[in-house]
Amino acid sequence: MNMFHWRLMLITTLMWGVMPSAVATHKYPQADGFVLQRQQMVATIKDYKVAGINVNEQRILNAMANVPRHRFVPPHQRTKAYQDSPLSIGFGQTISQPYIVALMTQLADISFGMKVLEIGTGSGYQAAILFELTPNVYTMEIISPLANRSAKLFNQLALTKINHQHGNGYYGWPQNLQFDRILVTAAAAHIPVPLLKQLKPGGRMVIPIGPVWGNQELLLISKDELGNSSTRSILPVRFVPLTGTGN
Amino acid sequence: MLLLCKARIVILAANHSERRHAGLITLFALALVSAAVLNFEVLLTRHIAIEHWHHLTTVVIAIALLGFGVAGSVAMLLSKSIISHYRGFLLLCSLALVLSFPISQLLASMIPLNMLALPWFGQQFFYLLLYALCWLPPFFLAGLYIIVNFMRWPRVISRLYGADLIGAALGAALALFMLEFDQFAFGMLLSPLLAMVALLLLLSRLAAKIAIITLIIASISILLFSGQQLLPATQVNAFKELSIRQNQLDAKLLWQRDSAQSRLSMVSSSGQHASPGLSLNSESAALPQWQLFLDGAQATPILLSADKGTSKAVFAQSIYAAPYQLLKRQPDVLLLGADPSWNSWTAYWQQANSITLIDQHKHLLPLLTAVNAMAEDNSTEQVSKIIPEQVKIANLHPRRFVETTTQYFDLIMASIGSDPVGSAAFSTNYLMTLQGLSSAFAQLEPNGVLAISNIMAPLPRDNLRVINTVVTMLRQQQLAPRQHLLVIRDWRTLLLLVSKQPINKQQAEKLYLWSQQWRFDLAAFPGLTREQANRYHIKSGVLYFDLIAALTDPASEVKSADLTNQYAFDIAPSTDHKPYLFHSFRWQSLGQLIADLPQRWPLLVGWGYILSLASLALIAPLALIFIMLPLYMNRQPQPSEYRKFRPLVYFSCLGFGFMAIEIALLQQTILLLDSLTSALATVLSAVLIGSGAGSILFGAKTISPSRLMLLIWLYSAVLFSAFIGFLELFQATLAWSHLARISLVFIVIAVLTMPLGLLLPYGLRRLPEQQPMLLAWCWAINGFASVTGVLVAPIIAMEFGLQVLLASALCCYLLAGWVNLASTRS
């Protein structure tokens, strides 16, 4: 590493120090022994490219580096918490692969202050990541033991400002709020119409399609200013037939 | 008791000749052991399908069947002890067999196997192996029991083998009877009970030890009957859809029923909101519903109040309303596919003149009865009708229905039903073949439409094969595909619309406007551009639009052939001889997949084929080790003739050939008997009884090797011709009742497979009597070859078709005959 690089690093560090941050980085209560593993996970996510798409937004990578993922998985799974794979969290549910969590967050394109609804709290990890980006996070879980577990964990990790509820997410947040972004973290076989109604014009919804352990494809739903919705499948497969007719 | 007393008299009468000939009691006990293990094997297919996935069944049973081979190897090593203490071995085997059934089930239930996590965690392969090994002991013990009998009474091997096969046939029939009458749990208990009867028969000879007998029987009985509570019931894995749903808010399992085909479970939960194909522009929320699960997966909505006028809008805004835009009058509708409740209500609200619903698996009648009962019991649920009253239900296979009906329809709706993991590679689909689709197309009214729906995979695979089959069918009928085929899609569902007449301008315009109103994209449509085909549900990379354009290119069929030959997956049209719609794996594409998607390629290939190959890679070396190990451990001098590899080739050929013939017959018979279960029951029983009878009738006869060779040639010619004739038989028996077809198929197959029972005892009898260990070794070879056959046969069938599979089986028999001939000459 030459002098130029050292200087660049110094300037960058100083800049971070003086610039007002638009990201609400949460201070987790205690230090843990997983910092290195988290950094490796972030590096893996950064390098991971599914046919041209990768997660390159620094604030999302920072969020992934800050949230202690191992706290959101059952104790017997902690050694695997930072592997880039889904993990079982009980009740047939999973905590998504870190890359998918990061990619969904990037696709949602969340700015500070936006109101974000997550359907399917599960482990609570995705909600914690969202909370790194905006303080207005709402999350719902239909499976009662998971809802209780995540509520307890939010308390333990001082994430009490995350709004969480145990209930059926199909109908959206009960108070009929309007959201800028909605993330559905349970794989979908259909797009809930009532949820679409809670999405503001110009809003975005991200939904994974297909089995969590299988070939999951992300669906990005955009609502235009007139209230019309369209979908975009986010798995741009480069793979084309050899005849080239796909080109 | 009376039966036991009679059996005892028979034993005493036959006891004097026991030293040279196996008595009736021996034959009866052997048949019972075989019946117990076959009953277990058949029920195990259901158990695994419910607990995990039915695609796993072949793999697990193949590994479990290794037990038969291992038994041969062990028997070879213990041959001296077996001969001198055969009674002790038989008693021990049967006692252990009784216990092994429940213990296997208990151990298997403790393994944290999650098939879905297989591509992610290597340890899941270890769990899979452990899970399969748990089922091995019953097969090992049954195999050992049989070979001990063979070794003790080599002179009457043909009778013993006959009893073994006939017992096995009865066991298989018993299992299917239990399944058909919703007695799955009791069926599982029958295997240890049958084995216990065999044990009792053996014990009845030891009158002096009555006290011990009583003690053992009492212990076993306590274990078995209390075991119904102690042992885990057959339950779906925690990762399956049904388990997940049951964890949800206020979920209730309303009804459950086991049939020979599947376990049906109906769940109510306020978290169920399926609305297949509903437009993004729709204002309607999902209708109140329960959901029906098949083997804990494939949730189907059962709508509870779709008859109310407020529901009408939902059915007009779903992609399934698209075909109705092409019709000119109130249609006569035929529904061949999935989602019976949703599709029949769609037809109802589209003012259908008549609705015929094909209930292939006979789910609907018990379901309707159950729903009516539940509606009466449960006043909180507002249940009206789950399907419209005017629907006519026909319990037939869709293929048979379209072949036999004299009615013509304005709309025929079918669904492909792809499995997202691609694990159904070896499942047959006789409706989506060239012949099947032609028959459906022929039943359309002049202005009728055939609609075929399916979910879309990230890379077009099964759908493209069906499109290719449709295009080929249209070309065969001298119709221009582009004038008859329209394709519409949303983000998840693809719907093919195949019109009998060329689509006219008014029809096209109506469909176009409707699709724009509800924001559905068209993928094949006159004058459509690539941009227009990707407007509301945007996909990147390969578009159906491009692929369909290549397949339907009017200028050149070469382009279509090029795409078929060079596409990433196998998309050649399905035929009745190769009805494997879901097998699309291609070796030539694997490199490109790995290069393009290094981390995701395992998720994109069809896992059914990969699992078959992986199992083969695991089992073939294991089989080889178990065949060679006893030879290595028992290196005493042997007659030079038998140190050669001829017995190895002979018995390997028989093992593989037998399984390959059975699988080829089974797969083709599904077409004749409409369902896998009927085919399995009939073919398994017929093959086992036919070959068992063959063994008893002809196994003891002295036939010269040259005459045997001639007989195999003749037999091969007859069987192959008959197999080709199976498709003709299908046409000839179209209007026959199910029972008449089962009887015909049973008789034909039993007669055709009689000679198969001759060859194993023939070969075993040619071994020197003073070398029982060789007999055990040959049994082991036969067992291992059978297991390999179970895994190789599907691969051959998927790659080359059923005729090639049968031809390779017959080649094996010819090779066995030639080896036998050569051995005599030398």
Side-chain angles (χ1 to χ4, degrees), chain B residues 275-324:
Chain B
S275 309
L278 191 64
S279 161
L280 280 184
N281 259 15
S282 173
E283 288 286 310
S284 311
L287 297 175
Q289 58 191 263
W290 291 336
Q291 286 191 359
L292 182 71
F293 294 82
L294 268 67
D295 287 339
Q298 300 175 42
T300 305
I302 301 296
L303 303 176
L304 302 179
S305 57
D307 57 335
K308 296 193 174 120
T310 47
S311 309
K312 185 178 177 181
V314 177
F315 298 103
Q317 297 159 5
S318 145
I319 196 166
Y320 294 99
Y324 297 91

Side-chain angles (χ1 to χ4, degrees), chain B residues 43-56:
Chain B
L43 292 175
L44 190 56
T45 61
R46 291 298 320 131
H47 178 86
I48 295 168
I50 294 167
E51 207 165 64
H52 294 278
W53 313 102
H54 71 84
H55 318 298
L56 185 64

Side-chain angles (χ1 to χ4, degrees), chain A residues 50-51 237 239, chain B residues 459 592-602 604:
Chain A
V50 177
V237 182
F239 196 83
Chain B
L459 291 177
Q592 200 183 344
L593 266 172
I594 294 170
D596 278 3
L597 297 156
Q599 280 136 314
R600 291 179 70 86
W601 73 267
L604 288 166

Side-chain angles (χ1 to χ4, degrees), chain B residues 322 326 449-452 467 470 474 481-489 494-499 503-504 507-509 511-512 522-526 548:
Chain B
L326 298 177
V449 173
L450 169 65
I452 303 168
I467 293 170
V470 166
L474 290 171
R482 285 197 181 171
Q483 291 175 15
H484 292 262
L485 175 66
L486 300 177
V487 181
I488 186 166
R489 68 171 180 88
L494 188 84
L495 189 64
L496 273 62
L497 303 172
V498 193
S499 170
I503 293 149
N504 62 38
Q507 283 175 306
E509 203 170 284
L511 182 72
Y512 183 80
L522 293 155
F525 193 81
I548 297 169

Side-chain angles (χ1 to χ4, degrees), chain A residues 168 170 213 215 229 231 233 239, chain B residues 120 270 458 519 537-538 568 600:
Chain A
N168 183 359
Y170 179 82
W213 296 100
N215 185 32
S229 303
T231 69
S233 297
F239 196 83
Chain B
W120 299 92
S270 56
R519 297 173 84 81
H537 302 284
I538 301 159
R600 291 179 70 86

Side-chain angles (χ1 to χ4, degrees), chain B residues 743-759:
Chain B
S743 310
L744 177 75
V745 168
F746 181 88
I747 292 165
V748 169
I749 292 182
V751 171
L752 280 174
T753 52
M754 263 188 164
L756 296 184
L758 157 76
L759 293 166

Side-chain angles (χ1 to χ4, degrees), chain B residues 499-677:
Chain B
S499 170
K500 187 95 173 185
Q501 293 289 329
I503 293 149
N504 62 38
K505 204 176 166 190
Q506 290 90 337
Q507 283 175 306
E509 203 170 284
K510 191 175 172 196
L511 182 72
Y512 183 80
L513 292 173
W514 181 85
S515 69
Q516 303 308 295
Q517 182 186 0
W518 297 110
R519 297 173 84 81
F520 294 117
D521 281 311
L522 293 155
F525 193 81
L528 192 75
T529 63
R530 197 171 195 269
E531 288 66 38
Q532 287 172 328
N534 204 23
R535 185 182 287 169
Y536 305 120
H537 302 284
I538 301 159
K539 305 265 180 194
S540 338
V542 187
L543 293 186
Y544 274 99
F545 172 83
D546 306 313
L547 299 166
I548 297 169
L551 285 176
T552 58
D553 192 340
S556 143
E557 284 187 32
V558 178
K559 213 168 178 179
S560 168
D562 276 354
L563 182 64
T564 306
N565 294 331
Q566 296 178 36
Y567 188 62
F569 299 108
D570 184 359
I571 54 160
S574 290
T575 63
D576 283 350
H577 286 298
K578 204 178 166 189
Y580 303 109
L581 166 64
F582 305 116
H583 165 59
S584 52
F585 181 83
R586 254 187 179 167
W587 283 106
Q588 68 192 54
S589 313
L590 191 61
Q592 200 183 344
L593 266 172
I594 294 170
D596 278 3
L597 297 156
Q599 280 136 314
R600 291 179 70 86
W601 73 267
L603 303 173
L604 288 166
V605 296
W607 269 89
Y609 191 75
I610 300 281
L611 263 179
S612 297
L613 289 174
S615 315
L616 186 63
L618 178 77
I619 285 186
L622 270 180
L624 203 62
I625 289 168
F626 276 114
I627 287 172
M628 292 304 168
L629 193 67
L631 285 187
Y632 176 77
M633 291 174 72
N634 202 351
R635 280 172 291 180
Q636 62 197 41
Q638 289 167 28
S640 59
E641 174 64 23
Y642 293 99
R643 288 170 69 189
K644 294 177 183 170
F645 73 105
R646 279 172 185 158
L648 180 71
V649 176
Y650 182 85
F651 289 100
S652 299
C653 285
L654 295 195
F656 175 82
F658 191 90
M659 291 317 295
I661 287 178
E662 195 173 298
I663 288 173
L665 289 171
L666 169 66
Q667 294 283 303
Q668 196 76 92
T669 305
I670 294 170
L671 177 65
L672 271 88
L673 300 182
D674 299 348
S675 79
L676 176 63
T677 314

